[in-house]
PDB file of all heavy atoms in Angstrom:
ATOM      1  N   ARG A 185     -73.853  66.237 -49.464  1.00 83.00           N
ATOM      2  CA  ARG A 185     -73.154  65.592 -50.548  1.00 83.00           C
ATOM      3  C   ARG A 185     -73.650  66.173 -51.836  1.00 83.00           C
ATOM      4  O   ARG A 185     -74.911  66.170 -52.072  1.00 83.00           O
ATOM      5  CB  ARG A 185     -73.378  64.043 -50.552  1.00 83.00           C
ATOM      6  CG  ARG A 185     -72.590  63.302 -51.555  1.00 83.00           C
ATOM      7  CD  ARG A 185     -72.853  61.883 -51.624  1.00 83.00           C
ATOM      8  NE  ARG A 185     -72.413  61.156 -50.523  1.00 83.00           N
ATOM      9  CZ  ARG A 185     -71.081  60.659 -50.448  1.00 83.00           C
ATOM     10  NH1 ARG A 185     -70.300  60.946 -51.405  1.00 83.00           N
ATOM     11  NH2 ARG A 185     -70.673  60.025 -49.369  1.00 83.00           N
ATOM     12  N   ASN A 186     -72.768  66.705 -52.684  1.00 80.00           N
ATOM     13  CA  ASN A 186     -73.104  67.271 -53.944  1.00 80.00           C
ATOM     14  C   ASN A 186     -72.866  66.383 -55.090  1.00 80.00           C
ATOM     15  O   ASN A 186     -72.006  65.440 -55.058  1.00 80.00           O
ATOM     16  CB  ASN A 186     -72.286  68.584 -54.137  1.00 80.00           C
ATOM     17  CG  ASN A 186     -72.644  69.613 -53.173  1.00 80.00           C
ATOM     18  OD1 ASN A 186     -73.792  69.790 -52.773  1.00 80.00           O
ATOM     19  ND2 ASN A 186     -71.686  70.475 -52.700  1.00 80.00           N
ATOM     20  N   MET A 187     -73.503  66.601 -56.148  1.00 79.00           N
ATOM     21  CA  MET A 187     -73.306  65.782 -57.383  1.00 79.00           C
ATOM     22  C   MET A 187     -72.298  66.504 -58.261  1.00 79.00           C
ATOM     23  O   MET A 187     -72.202  67.640 -58.389  1.00 79.00           O
ATOM     24  CB  MET A 187     -74.617  65.670 -58.180  1.00 79.00           C
ATOM     25  CG  MET A 187     -74.531  64.743 -59.357  1.00 79.00           C
ATOM     26  SD  MET A 187     -76.174  64.504 -60.126  1.00 79.00           S
ATOM     27  CE  MET A 187     -75.680  63.357 -61.427  1.00 79.00           C
ATOM     28  N   ALA A 188     -71.422  65.734 -58.883  1.00 75.00           N
ATOM     29  CA  ALA A 188     -70.411  66.199 -59.805  1.00 75.00           C
ATOM     30  C   ALA A 188     -70.332  65.340 -61.058  1.00 75.00           C
ATOM     31  O   ALA A 188     -70.667  64.141 -60.962  1.00 75.00           O
ATOM     32  CB  ALA A 188     -69.044  66.264 -59.067  1.00 75.00           C
ATOM     33  N   THR A 189     -69.897  65.921 -62.110  1.00 78.00           N
ATOM     34  CA  THR A 189     -69.619  65.203 -63.366  1.00 78.00           C
ATOM     35  C   THR A 189     -68.099  65.216 -63.669  1.00 78.00           C
ATOM     36  O   THR A 189     -67.492  66.257 -63.633  1.00 78.00           O
ATOM     37  CB  THR A 189     -70.408  65.787 -64.485  1.00 78.00           C
ATOM     38  OG1 THR A 189     -71.807  65.754 -64.234  1.00 78.00           O
ATOM     39  CG2 THR A 189     -70.160  65.032 -65.803  1.00 78.00           C
ATOM     40  N   VAL A 190     -67.580  64.065 -64.045  1.00 77.00           N
ATOM     41  CA  VAL A 190     -66.150  64.030 -64.417  1.00 77.00           C
ATOM     42  C   VAL A 190     -66.104  63.534 -65.867  1.00 77.00           C
ATOM     43  O   VAL A 190     -66.717  62.496 -66.221  1.00 77.00           O
ATOM     44  CB  VAL A 190     -65.390  63.043 -63.490  1.00 77.00           C
ATOM     45  CG1 VAL A 190     -63.929  62.979 -63.932  1.00 77.00           C
ATOM     46  CG2 VAL A 190     -65.406  63.536 -62.078  1.00 77.00           C
ATOM     47  N   VAL A 191     -65.384  64.223 -66.729  1.00 78.00           N
ATOM     48  CA  VAL A 191     -65.281  63.925 -68.106  1.00 78.00           C
ATOM     49  C   VAL A 191     -63.873  63.591 -68.453  1.00 78.00           C
ATOM     50  O   VAL A 191     -62.877  64.284 -68.121  1.00 78.00           O
ATOM     51  CB  VAL A 191     -65.738  65.133 -69.002  1.00 78.00           C
ATOM     52  CG1 VAL A 191     -65.623  64.780 -70.471  1.00 78.00           C
ATOM     53  CG2 VAL A 191     -67.222  65.471 -68.653  1.00 78.00           C
ATOM     54  N   ARG A 192     -63.641  62.442 -69.151  1.00 75.00           N
ATOM     55  CA  ARG A 192     -62.323  62.134 -69.643  1.00 75.00           C
ATOM     56  C   ARG A 192     -62.095  62.911 -70.883  1.00 75.00           C
ATOM     57  O   ARG A 192     -62.719  62.713 -71.940  1.00 75.00           O
ATOM     58  CB  ARG A 192     -62.206  60.633 -69.931  1.00 75.00           C
ATOM     59  CG  ARG A 192     -60.803  60.185 -70.101  1.00 75.00           C
ATOM     60  CD  ARG A 192     -60.790  58.611 -70.323  1.00 75.00           C
ATOM     61  NE  ARG A 192     -61.310  57.922 -69.087  1.00 75.00           N
ATOM     62  CZ  ARG A 192     -60.645  57.691 -68.002  1.00 75.00           C
ATOM     63  NH1 ARG A 192     -59.360  58.017 -67.995  1.00 75.00           N
ATOM     64  NH2 ARG A 192     -61.129  57.053 -67.020  1.00 75.00           N
ATOM     65  N   ILE A 193     -61.068  63.816 -70.810  1.00 75.00           N
ATOM     66  CA  ILE A 193     -60.866  64.813 -71.954  1.00 75.00           C
ATOM     67  C   ILE A 193     -60.517  64.013 -73.268  1.00 75.00           C
ATOM     68  O   ILE A 193     -60.800  64.448 -74.380  1.00 75.00           O
ATOM     69  CB  ILE A 193     -59.713  65.779 -71.608  1.00 75.00           C
ATOM     70  CG1 ILE A 193     -60.211  66.590 -70.329  1.00 75.00           C
ATOM     71  CG2 ILE A 193     -59.479  66.740 -72.755  1.00 75.00           C
ATOM     72  CD1 ILE A 193     -61.542  67.265 -70.545  1.00 75.00           C
ATOM     73  N   SER A 194     -59.798  62.817 -73.128  1.00 69.00           N
ATOM     74  CA  SER A 194     -59.408  62.212 -74.334  1.00 69.00           C
ATOM     75  C   SER A 194     -60.601  61.522 -75.093  1.00 69.00           C
ATOM     76  O   SER A 194     -60.437  61.141 -76.213  1.00 69.00           O
ATOM     77  CB  SER A 194     -58.376  61.054 -73.968  1.00 69.00           C
ATOM     78  OG  SER A 194     -59.028  60.177 -73.046  1.00 69.00           O
ATOM     79  N   SER A 195     -61.824  61.484 -74.440  1.00 56.00           N
ATOM     80  CA  SER A 195     -62.962  60.856 -75.126  1.00 56.00           C
ATOM     81  C   SER A 195     -63.579  61.970 -75.984  1.00 56.00           C
ATOM     82  O   SER A 195     -63.308  63.195 -75.767  1.00 56.00           O
ATOM     83  CB  SER A 195     -63.977  60.352 -74.143  1.00 56.00           C
ATOM     84  OG  SER A 195     -64.443  61.447 -73.309  1.00 56.00           O
ATOM     85  N   SER A 196     -64.418  61.566 -77.001  1.00 52.00           N
ATOM     86  CA  SER A 196     -65.038  62.513 -77.849  1.00 52.00           C
ATOM     87  C   SER A 196     -66.339  63.083 -77.226  1.00 52.00           C
ATOM     88  O   SER A 196     -67.237  62.273 -77.015  1.00 52.00           O
ATOM     89  CB  SER A 196     -65.264  61.833 -79.200  1.00 52.00           C
ATOM     90  OG  SER A 196     -66.004  62.734 -80.055  1.00 52.00           O
ATOM     91  N   VAL A 197     -66.407  64.343 -77.047  1.00 50.00           N
ATOM     92  CA  VAL A 197     -67.619  64.977 -76.562  1.00 50.00           C
ATOM     93  C   VAL A 197     -67.877  66.075 -77.556  1.00 50.00           C
ATOM     94  O   VAL A 197     -67.307  67.105 -77.527  1.00 50.00           O
ATOM     95  CB  VAL A 197     -67.465  65.521 -75.132  1.00 50.00           C
ATOM     96  CG1 VAL A 197     -68.749  66.138 -74.658  1.00 50.00           C
ATOM     97  CG2 VAL A 197     -67.038  64.466 -74.181  1.00 50.00           C
ATOM     98  N   SER A 198     -68.842  65.799 -78.443  1.00 50.00           N
ATOM     99  CA  SER A 198     -69.063  66.781 -79.517  1.00 50.00           C
ATOM    100  C   SER A 198     -69.479  68.092 -79.092  1.00 50.00           C
ATOM    101  O   SER A 198     -70.377  68.239 -78.210  1.00 50.00           O
ATOM    102  CB  SER A 198     -70.161  66.130 -80.455  1.00 50.00           C
ATOM    103  OG  SER A 198     -70.458  67.023 -81.488  1.00 50.00           O
ATOM    104  N   GLY A 199     -68.884  69.134 -79.654  1.00 46.00           N
ATOM    105  CA  GLY A 199     -69.244  70.473 -79.394  1.00 46.00           C
ATOM    106  C   GLY A 199     -68.944  70.976 -77.977  1.00 46.00           C
ATOM    107  O   GLY A 199     -69.426  71.895 -77.505  1.00 46.00           O
ATOM    108  N   SER A 200     -68.092  70.266 -77.292  1.00 46.00           N
ATOM    109  CA  SER A 200     -67.839  70.575 -75.881  1.00 46.00           C
ATOM    110  C   SER A 200     -66.565  71.421 -75.704  1.00 46.00           C
ATOM    111  O   SER A 200     -65.582  71.138 -76.334  1.00 46.00           O
ATOM    112  CB  SER A 200     -67.703  69.295 -75.102  1.00 46.00           C
ATOM    113  OG  SER A 200     -67.310  69.531 -73.774  1.00 46.00           O
ATOM    114  N   ALA A 201     -66.625  72.396 -74.717  1.00 46.00           N
ATOM    115  CA  ALA A 201     -65.460  73.156 -74.425  1.00 46.00           C
ATOM    116  C   ALA A 201     -64.481  72.342 -73.644  1.00 46.00           C
ATOM    117  O   ALA A 201     -63.422  72.764 -73.396  1.00 46.00           O
ATOM    118  CB  ALA A 201     -65.889  74.386 -73.699  1.00 46.00           C
ATOM    119  N   PHE A 202     -64.920  71.127 -73.142  1.00 41.00           N
ATOM    120  CA  PHE A 202     -64.035  70.329 -72.285  1.00 41.00           C
ATOM    121  C   PHE A 202     -62.754  69.974 -73.008  1.00 41.00           C
ATOM    122  O   PHE A 202     -61.744  69.761 -72.398  1.00 41.00           O
ATOM    123  CB  PHE A 202     -64.770  69.010 -71.873  1.00 41.00           C
ATOM    124  CG  PHE A 202     -66.004  69.297 -71.067  1.00 41.00           C
ATOM    125  CD1 PHE A 202     -67.031  68.321 -71.132  1.00 41.00           C
ATOM    126  CD2 PHE A 202     -66.096  70.401 -70.308  1.00 41.00           C
ATOM    127  CE1 PHE A 202     -68.111  68.544 -70.404  1.00 41.00           C
ATOM    128  CE2 PHE A 202     -67.272  70.607 -69.531  1.00 41.00           C
ATOM    129  CZ  PHE A 202     -68.248  69.697 -69.610  1.00 41.00           C
ATOM    130  N   SER A 203     -62.802  69.927 -74.390  1.00 40.00           N
ATOM    131  CA  SER A 203     -61.555  69.506 -75.145  1.00 40.00           C
ATOM    132  C   SER A 203     -60.409  70.443 -74.863  1.00 40.00           C
ATOM    133  O   SER A 203     -59.263  70.067 -75.249  1.00 40.00           O
ATOM    134  CB  SER A 203     -61.847  69.452 -76.614  1.00 40.00           C
ATOM    135  OG  SER A 203     -62.323  70.678 -77.093  1.00 40.00           O
ATOM    136  N   ARG A 204     -60.658  71.574 -74.404  1.00 45.00           N
ATOM    137  CA  ARG A 204     -59.566  72.587 -74.125  1.00 45.00           C
ATOM    138  C   ARG A 204     -58.793  72.193 -72.879  1.00 45.00           C
ATOM    139  O   ARG A 204     -57.731  72.766 -72.631  1.00 45.00           O
ATOM    140  CB  ARG A 204     -60.101  73.976 -74.027  1.00 45.00           C
ATOM    141  CG  ARG A 204     -60.711  74.458 -75.362  1.00 45.00           C
ATOM    142  CD  ARG A 204     -60.837  75.982 -75.339  1.00 45.00           C
ATOM    143  NE  ARG A 204     -61.870  76.317 -74.291  1.00 45.00           N
ATOM    144  CZ  ARG A 204     -63.220  76.544 -74.600  1.00 45.00           C
ATOM    145  NH1 ARG A 204     -63.630  76.241 -75.786  1.00 45.00           N
ATOM    146  NH2 ARG A 204     -64.012  76.812 -73.694  1.00 45.00           N
ATOM    147  N   GLY A 205     -59.261  71.329 -72.060  1.00 42.00           N
ATOM    148  CA  GLY A 205     -58.514  70.873 -70.881  1.00 42.00           C
ATOM    149  C   GLY A 205     -58.832  71.756 -69.676  1.00 42.00           C
ATOM    150  O   GLY A 205     -59.619  72.783 -69.761  1.00 42.00           O
ATOM    151  N   VAL A 206     -58.122  71.554 -68.588  1.00 42.00           N
ATOM    152  CA  VAL A 206     -58.256  72.329 -67.370  1.00 42.00           C
ATOM    153  C   VAL A 206     -57.422  73.579 -67.453  1.00 42.00           C
ATOM    154  O   VAL A 206     -56.255  73.474 -67.738  1.00 42.00           O
ATOM    155  CB  VAL A 206     -57.913  71.501 -66.157  1.00 42.00           C
ATOM    156  CG1 VAL A 206     -58.077  72.308 -64.913  1.00 42.00           C
ATOM    157  CG2 VAL A 206     -58.655  70.188 -66.098  1.00 42.00           C
ATOM    158  N   PRO A 207     -58.043  74.769 -67.348  1.00 42.00           N
ATOM    159  CA  PRO A 207     -57.272  76.023 -67.514  1.00 42.00           C
ATOM    160  C   PRO A 207     -56.110  76.147 -66.562  1.00 42.00           C
ATOM    161  O   PRO A 207     -56.298  75.906 -65.297  1.00 42.00           O
ATOM    162  CB  PRO A 207     -58.294  77.144 -67.269  1.00 42.00           C
ATOM    163  CG  PRO A 207     -59.614  76.401 -67.475  1.00 42.00           C
ATOM    164  CD  PRO A 207     -59.415  75.048 -67.007  1.00 42.00           C
ATOM    165  N   GLY A 208     -54.952  76.563 -67.024  1.00 42.00           N
ATOM    166  CA  GLY A 208     -53.887  76.965 -66.149  1.00 42.00           C
ATOM    167  C   GLY A 208     -53.024  75.949 -65.510  1.00 42.00           C
ATOM    168  O   GLY A 208     -52.029  76.282 -64.904  1.00 42.00           O
ATOM    169  N   ILE A 209     -53.321  74.610 -65.736  1.00 42.00           N
ATOM    170  CA  ILE A 209     -52.457  73.696 -65.147  1.00 42.00           C
ATOM    171  C   ILE A 209     -51.927  72.630 -66.141  1.00 42.00           C
ATOM    172  O   ILE A 209     -51.181  71.712 -65.729  1.00 42.00           O
ATOM    173  CB  ILE A 209     -53.241  72.920 -63.969  1.00 42.00           C
ATOM    174  CG1 ILE A 209     -54.484  72.215 -64.534  1.00 42.00           C
ATOM    175  CG2 ILE A 209     -53.603  73.863 -62.827  1.00 42.00           C
ATOM    176  CD1 ILE A 209     -55.139  71.344 -63.445  1.00 42.00           C
ATOM    177  N   GLY A 210     -52.305  72.779 -67.351  1.00 41.00           N
ATOM    178  CA  GLY A 210     -51.790  71.894 -68.399  1.00 41.00           C
ATOM    179  C   GLY A 210     -52.128  70.417 -68.263  1.00 41.00           C
ATOM    180  O   GLY A 210     -51.483  69.564 -68.790  1.00 41.00           O
ATOM    181  N   GLN A 211     -53.256  70.156 -67.565  1.00 39.00           N
ATOM    182  CA  GLN A 211     -53.635  68.759 -67.419  1.00 39.00           C
ATOM    183  C   GLN A 211     -54.893  68.574 -68.274  1.00 39.00           C
ATOM    184  O   GLN A 211     -55.837  69.246 -68.130  1.00 39.00           O
ATOM    185  CB  GLN A 211     -54.021  68.358 -65.928  1.00 39.00           C
ATOM    186  CG  GLN A 211     -52.750  68.437 -65.076  1.00 39.00           C
ATOM    187  CD  GLN A 211     -53.055  68.143 -63.652  1.00 39.00           C
ATOM    188  OE1 GLN A 211     -54.234  67.902 -63.307  1.00 39.00           O
ATOM    189  NE2 GLN A 211     -52.098  68.044 -62.827  1.00 39.00           N
ATOM    190  N   ARG A 212     -54.896  67.569 -69.182  1.00 37.00           N
ATOM    191  CA  ARG A 212     -55.921  67.379 -70.128  1.00 37.00           C
ATOM    192  C   ARG A 212     -56.683  66.043 -70.009  1.00 37.00           C
ATOM    193  O   ARG A 212     -57.536  65.745 -70.773  1.00 37.00           O
ATOM    194  CB  ARG A 212     -55.452  67.541 -71.629  1.00 37.00           C
ATOM    195  CG  ARG A 212     -54.714  68.850 -71.916  1.00 37.00           C
ATOM    196  CD  ARG A 212     -54.207  68.862 -73.229  1.00 37.00           C
ATOM    197  NE  ARG A 212     -55.170  68.676 -74.257  1.00 37.00           N
ATOM    198  CZ  ARG A 212     -56.003  69.564 -74.792  1.00 37.00           C
ATOM    199  NH1 ARG A 212     -55.977  70.797 -74.295  1.00 37.00           N
ATOM    200  NH2 ARG A 212     -56.917  69.244 -75.707  1.00 37.00           N
ATOM    201  N   MET A 213     -56.279  65.308 -69.048  1.00 38.00           N
ATOM    202  CA  MET A 213     -56.993  63.972 -68.909  1.00 38.00           C
ATOM    203  C   MET A 213     -58.392  64.094 -68.348  1.00 38.00           C
ATOM    204  O   MET A 213     -59.281  63.461 -68.913  1.00 38.00           O
ATOM    205  CB  MET A 213     -56.114  63.071 -67.957  1.00 38.00           C
ATOM    206  CG  MET A 213     -54.894  62.452 -68.670  1.00 38.00           C
ATOM    207  SD  MET A 213     -55.448  61.346 -70.021  1.00 38.00           S
ATOM    208  CE  MET A 213     -56.244  60.030 -69.082  1.00 38.00           C
ATOM    209  N   LEU A 214     -58.547  64.810 -67.277  1.00 38.00           N
ATOM    210  CA  LEU A 214     -59.867  64.806 -66.624  1.00 38.00           C
ATOM    211  C   LEU A 214     -60.266  66.209 -66.248  1.00 38.00           C
ATOM    212  O   LEU A 214     -59.440  67.082 -65.977  1.00 38.00           O
ATOM    213  CB  LEU A 214     -59.823  63.958 -65.365  1.00 38.00           C
ATOM    214  CG  LEU A 214     -59.522  62.479 -65.513  1.00 38.00           C
ATOM    215  CD1 LEU A 214     -59.181  61.835 -64.192  1.00 38.00           C
ATOM    216  CD2 LEU A 214     -60.695  61.757 -66.139  1.00 38.00           C
ATOM    217  N   MET A 215     -61.586  66.402 -66.239  1.00 37.00           N
ATOM    218  CA  MET A 215     -62.105  67.648 -65.746  1.00 37.00           C
ATOM    219  C   MET A 215     -63.361  67.368 -64.935  1.00 37.00           C
ATOM    220  O   MET A 215     -64.168  66.549 -65.286  1.00 37.00           O
ATOM    221  CB  MET A 215     -62.531  68.696 -66.894  1.00 37.00           C
ATOM    222  CG  MET A 215     -63.171  69.932 -66.441  1.00 37.00           C
ATOM    223  SD  MET A 215     -63.552  71.038 -67.797  1.00 37.00           S
ATOM    224  CE  MET A 215     -62.015  71.814 -67.975  1.00 37.00           C
ATOM    225  N   GLY A 216     -63.484  68.091 -63.821  1.00 38.00           N
ATOM    226  CA  GLY A 216     -64.679  67.868 -62.973  1.00 38.00           C
ATOM    227  C   GLY A 216     -65.494  69.171 -62.873  1.00 38.00           C
ATOM    228  O   GLY A 216     -65.030  70.215 -63.004  1.00 38.00           O
ATOM    229  N   ILE A 217     -66.846  68.931 -62.854  1.00 37.00           N
ATOM    230  CA  ILE A 217     -67.767  70.115 -62.735  1.00 37.00           C
ATOM    231  C   ILE A 217     -68.722  69.868 -61.688  1.00 37.00           C
ATOM    232  O   ILE A 217     -69.338  68.752 -61.570  1.00 37.00           O
ATOM    233  CB  ILE A 217     -68.588  70.334 -64.093  1.00 37.00           C
ATOM    234  CG1 ILE A 217     -67.607  70.438 -65.300  1.00 37.00           C
ATOM    235  CG2 ILE A 217     -69.405  71.552 -64.012  1.00 37.00           C
ATOM    236  CD1 ILE A 217     -67.439  69.223 -66.093  1.00 37.00           C
ATOM    237  N   ASP A 218     -68.882  70.806 -60.758  1.00 40.00           N
ATOM    238  CA  ASP A 218     -69.929  70.715 -59.714  1.00 40.00           C
ATOM    239  C   ASP A 218     -71.232  71.103 -60.418  1.00 40.00           C
ATOM    240  O   ASP A 218     -71.364  72.351 -60.759  1.00 40.00           O
ATOM    241  CB  ASP A 218     -69.573  71.628 -58.556  1.00 40.00           C
ATOM    242  CG  ASP A 218     -70.598  71.515 -57.379  1.00 40.00           C
ATOM    243  OD1 ASP A 218     -71.512  70.720 -57.579  1.00 40.00           O
ATOM    244  OD2 ASP A 218     -70.309  72.218 -56.355  1.00 40.00           O
ATOM    245  N   THR A 219     -72.131  70.192 -60.624  1.00 33.00           N
ATOM    246  CA  THR A 219     -73.351  70.517 -61.386  1.00 33.00           C
ATOM    247  C   THR A 219     -74.327  71.393 -60.611  1.00 33.00           C
ATOM    248  O   THR A 219     -75.056  72.130 -61.256  1.00 33.00           O
ATOM    249  CB  THR A 219     -74.078  69.195 -61.738  1.00 33.00           C
ATOM    250  OG1 THR A 219     -74.473  68.530 -60.528  1.00 33.00           O
ATOM    251  CG2 THR A 219     -73.193  68.259 -62.583  1.00 33.00           C
ATOM    252  N   GLY A 220     -74.330  71.407 -59.321  1.00 39.00           N
ATOM    253  CA  GLY A 220     -75.219  72.223 -58.543  1.00 39.00           C
ATOM    254  C   GLY A 220     -76.671  72.048 -58.911  1.00 39.00           C
ATOM    255  O   GLY A 220     -77.434  72.935 -59.103  1.00 39.00           O
ATOM    256  N   LEU A 221     -77.139  70.808 -59.068  1.00 36.00           N
ATOM    257  CA  LEU A 221     -78.427  70.439 -59.500  1.00 36.00           C
ATOM    258  C   LEU A 221     -79.482  70.944 -58.488  1.00 36.00           C
ATOM    259  O   LEU A 221     -79.299  70.841 -57.373  1.00 36.00           O
ATOM    260  CB  LEU A 221     -78.588  68.954 -59.662  1.00 36.00           C
ATOM    261  CG  LEU A 221     -77.855  68.298 -60.829  1.00 36.00           C
ATOM    262  CD1 LEU A 221     -77.993  66.769 -60.820  1.00 36.00           C
ATOM    263  CD2 LEU A 221     -78.233  68.854 -62.155  1.00 36.00           C
ATOM    264  N   THR A 222     -80.518  71.518 -59.097  1.00 37.00           N
ATOM    265  CA  THR A 222     -81.735  71.780 -58.245  1.00 37.00           C
ATOM    266  C   THR A 222     -82.742  70.651 -58.484  1.00 37.00           C
ATOM    267  O   THR A 222     -82.629  69.869 -59.455  1.00 37.00           O
ATOM    268  CB  THR A 222     -82.328  73.080 -58.630  1.00 37.00           C
ATOM    269  OG1 THR A 222     -82.809  73.030 -60.017  1.00 37.00           O
ATOM    270  CG2 THR A 222     -81.376  74.235 -58.512  1.00 37.00           C
TER     271      THR A 222
END
């Protein structure tokens, strides 16, 4: 089981590239990132 982070694009995340949305699919609501924590 891996850890992931999900960000609501409509929320304010200062200085974040997340505001650009998910590349290539035109969906801007949510983005997920596999953190791959050690």
Side-chain angles (χ1 to χ4, degrees):
R185 185 183 288 277
N186 294 324
M187 185 176 181
T189 299
V190 177
V191 179
R192 192 176 301 277
I193 299 303
S194 58
S195 65
S196 175
V197 182
S198 177
S200 173
F202 299 151
S203 60
R204 294 195 294 268
V206 181
I209 59 172
Q211 294 181 357
R212 299 178 59 83
M213 280 298 292
L214 297 166
M215 174 179 279
I217 305 99
D218 184 358
T219 60
L221 292 177
T222 62

